[in-house]
Amino acid sequence: MSPKDAPPPLPEPLRGEVADSHTHLDMQDGTVDEALAKAASVGVTTVVQVGCDVKGSRWAAETAAAHENVHAAVALHPNEAPRIVLGDPDGWSRQGARIAGGDAALDDALGEIDVLAALPYVRGVGETGLDHFRTGPEGMAAQERSFRAHIEIAKRHGKALVIHDREAHEDVLRVLEEEGAPERTVFHCYSGDAAMAEICARKGYFMSFAGNVTFKNAQPLRDALAVAPLELVLVETDAPFLTPAPYRGRPNAPYLIPVTVRAMAAVKGIEEDVLAAALAANTARAFDY
């Protein structure tokens, strides 16, 4: 194993308990129990396991049912909806190549998500939203239709809405406005600037910051965190992605949350214990556990 593939070392434990508000345990090495034990050893005692397709959402629900400190979010990822409707001849997603299923196939998949969203240990509907980075113009209609359907599912079941917003800020805010956002709405891996953070704050949307807030080129994200109200801030890994500096490029996991928490506390100019306590309370409030 080369150093860049090796898991980063355990950070100094936090003195309080916090939650990883967004992780993908199904994409990480090792067992769920190993990941949870390692995280708990540094103070990360709760995780929200997030589904990106029907299969992953089923797995998230099953994992949450089996582990007291795991909560599930279920959805079709914004890039999944166009693949279902239009097909995926290159098969770059985890399911491999797929043929076009049209709107009927998307309706079937949304129906599966709706069933899962009713389960008690499923606390969120997401990650859903819009992604203008990976989906071209031909996939936008499917993506937006899927997003609107997820908003309706979240509201009907009284679950948090977990948003994936990649290079689509204005359109995401527009759709939320048009549909009416659920009572609890979380911008996962917040990627907007300070001006957008002020809009989110006015709307009462939670902003969840990931390891990329530590990246050298991420000053706009730190500016956003600086203006985000403390009671609306969450922390996440989005593991195995977005590993915080100085471990960028190596595999991420929930046990690395303390690295990001300390960087966030420095940006906010508050003690890490004060931030950790707020993060724990905010995540429980956002996901109603």
Side-chain angles (χ1 to χ4, degrees):
M1 188 185 288
S2 74
K4 72 172 180 21
D5 299 323
L10 274 174
E12 181 76 23
L14 293 164
R15 287 188 293 266
E17 297 184 348
V18 294
D20 180 349
S21 80
H22 192 112
T23 195
H24 302 286
L25 294 169
D26 50 331
M27 301 181 197
Q28 296 165 39
D29 289 336
T31 68
V32 170
D33 287 322
E34 285 164 357
L36 296 177
K38 203 168 174 184
S41 76
V42 294
V44 183
T45 52
T46 305
V47 306
V48 180
Q49 165 64 26
V50 180
C52 292
D53 50 41
V54 170
K55 193 172 153 196
S57 294
R58 281 195 200 118
W59 190 90
E62 286 162 9
T63 304
H67 296 85
E68 196 184 348
N69 294 343
V70 178
H71 305 293
V74 300
L76 309 175
H77 190 283
N79 296 319
E80 174 69 359
R83 286 201 286 264
I84 292 172
V85 175
L86 303 172
D88 182 15
D90 303 325
W92 68 266
S93 80
R94 290 188 299 157
Q95 288 93 334
R98 279 185 281 176
I99 56 167
D103 283 342
L106 181 56
D107 286 336
D108 288 348
L110 288 165
E112 297 252 15
I113 298 301
D114 190 15
V115 170
L116 292 169
L119 297 170
Y121 32 80
V122 172
R123 300 290 183 174
V125 172
E127 56 187 284
T128 180
L130 300 172
D131 188 321
H132 292 178
F133 174 77
R134 196 159 253 153
T135 291
E138 71 291 339
M140 294 299 178
Q143 207 172 74
E144 193 164 311
R145 186 161 91 81
S146 178
F147 183 24
R148 290 179 191 275
H150 282 85
I151 294 172
E152 190 277 325
I153 291 169
K155 289 199 291 195
R156 184 156 37 82
H157 293 293
K159 304 290 165 96
L161 181 72
V162 179
I163 290 179
H164 169 105
D165 161 28
R166 192 160 183 193
E167 297 181 12
H169 308 320
E170 284 175 20
D171 285 330
V172 167
L173 291 169
R174 170 181 59 81
V175 173
L176 284 174
E177 201 61 32
E178 288 169 4
E179 294 294 324
E183 191 184 332
R184 291 167 289 114
T185 294
V186 178
F187 274 77
H188 129 71
C189 187
Y190 181 83
S191 61
D193 59 9
M196 180 171 156
E198 284 169 348
I199 294 169
C200 290
R202 282 200 302 276
K203 301 279 186 192
Y205 301 156
F206 291 93
M207 291 163 265
S208 182
F209 290 85
N212 56 340
V213 76
T214 67
F215 295 175
K216 221 180 260 148
N217 61 353
Q219 194 53 47
L221 272 188
R222 290 186 283 275
D223 294 344
L225 174 58
V227 302
L230 184 59
E231 67 275 10
L232 291 176
V233 172
L234 309 180
V235 66
E236 65 173 87
T237 55
D238 198 21
F241 315 107
L242 299 176
T243 313
Y247 309 114
R248 187 176 182 178
R250 288 164 71 177
N252 200 4
Y255 76 87
L256 290 169
I257 280 282
V259 180
T260 304
V261 170
R262 291 184 176 117
M264 290 171 66
V267 170
K268 293 296 272 177
I270 57 177
E271 294 292 320
E272 74 177 59
D273 294 17
V274 174
L275 178 59
L279 293 167
N282 296 348
T283 316
R285 201 169 79 248
F287 290 96
D288 190 29
Y289 60 78

